Amino acid sequence: MVLRMIGGIALACAVALPMAGCGDDDKPDPKVAWAAKVCDGVKRNTKKVQAPSLDPRSAKKSRTAILTFLGDMNSQLSAQATSLSSAGSPPVGDTAYRTALANLSQVRTELTTVSASLEKAKVTDMKSLTRTLSSYSAKMSGFGAYQGPAKELRANADLNAAFGETPQCNGVGV
């Protein structure tokens, strides 16, 4: 009699637990959890960067504004790299992740190079500033075309879907 009761309880539990939602289906999708972590980090560490305000009467003020802008951009890219690194490799392979980190690093290196060169350049008037900046025009246009790590990460179909499913990613450039 006791064995029948235990058997009946076990059978009832076996049927009731999955219906109650207590099975493994409640575990969050690791891809979505990873995407949420990335988007939370990007939101927390990214601020809007103002374009430089140039003063046509002062080449030195204009250069300072450009250097400030480049420094702010570099800081934002650094924050994105830190957020991405702290999230770790995604659970669906790391090719897109490694590409995103490599491109962030490359753009940051180029920004640093342009900033250092602009800092050292002899700028006495707007003409000399324009001449100095024109030597960096190819690199600077590359900065404008860079879309951040979103493009590389979304190249992975699984990550692209995870970013779409994650509420934390709404309104984030990922």
Side-chain angles (χ1 to χ4, degrees):
M1 176 95 171
V2 172
L3 288 175
R4 277 191 186 160
M5 287 178 87
I6 292 173
I9 291 171
L11 182 60
C13 285
V15 171
L17 283 178
M19 295 175 110
C22 296
D24 285 343
D25 293 340
D26 283 349
K27 290 182 181 175
D29 181 345
K31 296 175 292 225
V32 174
W34 183 86
K37 189 174 183 180
V38 168
C39 290
D40 283 342
V42 169
K43 279 182 183 177
R44 187 175 48 257
N45 294 317
T46 304
K47 297 171 183 77
K48 188 171 184 168
V49 177
Q50 282 289 57
S53 178
L54 304 180
D55 182 350
R57 296 176 308 255
S58 175
K60 289 184 182 191
K61 285 182 183 176
S62 294
R63 176 172 66 176
T64 299
I66 293 168
L67 287 170
T68 299
F69 172 75
L70 294 174
D72 290 347
M73 288 298 299
N74 203 346
S75 294
Q76 293 302 302
L77 293 174
S78 178
Q80 287 184 6
T82 299
S83 293
L84 197 53
S85 293
S86 70
S89 266
V92 293
D94 67 349
T95 302
Y97 174 78
R98 284 185 289 114
T99 301
L101 285 175
N103 286 344
L104 275 168
S105 179
Q106 179 183 358
V107 171
R108 287 182 56 222
T109 299
E110 290 175 0
L111 274 170
T112 301
T113 301
V114 168
S115 293
S117 296
L118 182 57
E119 184 77 43
K120 292 177 188 174
K122 185 175 181 180
V123 174
T124 56
D125 56 15
M126 290 307 279
K127 195 176 200 176
S128 61
L129 177 61
T130 302
R131 188 172 45 253
T132 300
L133 291 175
S134 68
S135 67
Y136 308 123
S137 65
K139 283 188 180 189
M140 292 175 82
S141 68
F143 301 149
Y146 180 63
Q147 298 174 13
K151 181 180 179 184
E152 292 91 2
L153 293 173
R154 285 188 176 273
N156 179 301
D158 290 330
L159 292 180
N160 188 40
F163 286 125
E165 291 177 35
T166 308
Q168 289 91 329
C169 293
N170 290 341
V172 177
V174 176

